[in-house]
Amino acid sequence: DGATLAVADNGEHTYTFGLYNDIKDNGEYTATTTNDCLTDLTATKIEGSKAKLTFKVAANTTGKDREGKITIKSAKCADPFTLTVKQPK
């Protein structure tokens, strides 16, 4: 399962994405990516089954549209969540 987020192309920006899961008390969250343009990933449990993901997206200087993926995992849920980040040129 996942979602797609379109972001700005100019300058570095910080984004916060809210997460909700039907499973109560998912434990701690982790967020990973293999994309260099996505940095400072922080997945934080808020309360019960709510969490937030905060991350930065670098300015797109490639001259092409680009896409990156962030995988969020919960300590107590086997299914990861994938956020696709799309950035125009």
Side-chain angles (χ1 to χ4, degrees):
D1 254 354
T4 300
L5 178 67
V7 299
D9 60 340
N10 58 342
E12 180 179 84
H13 296 281
T14 300
Y15 295 90
T16 300
F17 186 81
L19 304 166
Y20 177 78
N21 190 317
D22 289 337
I23 301 170
K24 288 189 176 187
D25 192 17
N26 279 318
E28 296 303 312
Y29 288 84
T30 59
T32 58
T33 186
T34 57
N35 300 85
D36 293 342
C37 64
L38 303 171
T39 61
D40 295 342
L41 304 171
T42 304
T44 307
K45 178 179 173 178
I46 299 172
E47 62 180 76
S49 56
K50 295 178 185 175
K52 72 176 179 178
L53 168 69
T54 304
F55 61 96
K56 288 184 180 178
V57 180
N60 187 353
T61 58
T62 66
K64 302 176 185 175
D65 291 350
R66 67 180 173 188
E67 179 177 300
K69 295 188 184 298
I70 299 172
T71 302
I72 302 117
K73 294 182 182 177
S74 162
K76 296 183 180 178
C77 183
D79 297 325
F81 178 85
T82 301
L83 177 63
T84 301
V85 179
K86 292 188 175 190
Q87 188 179 39
K89 59 183 175 181

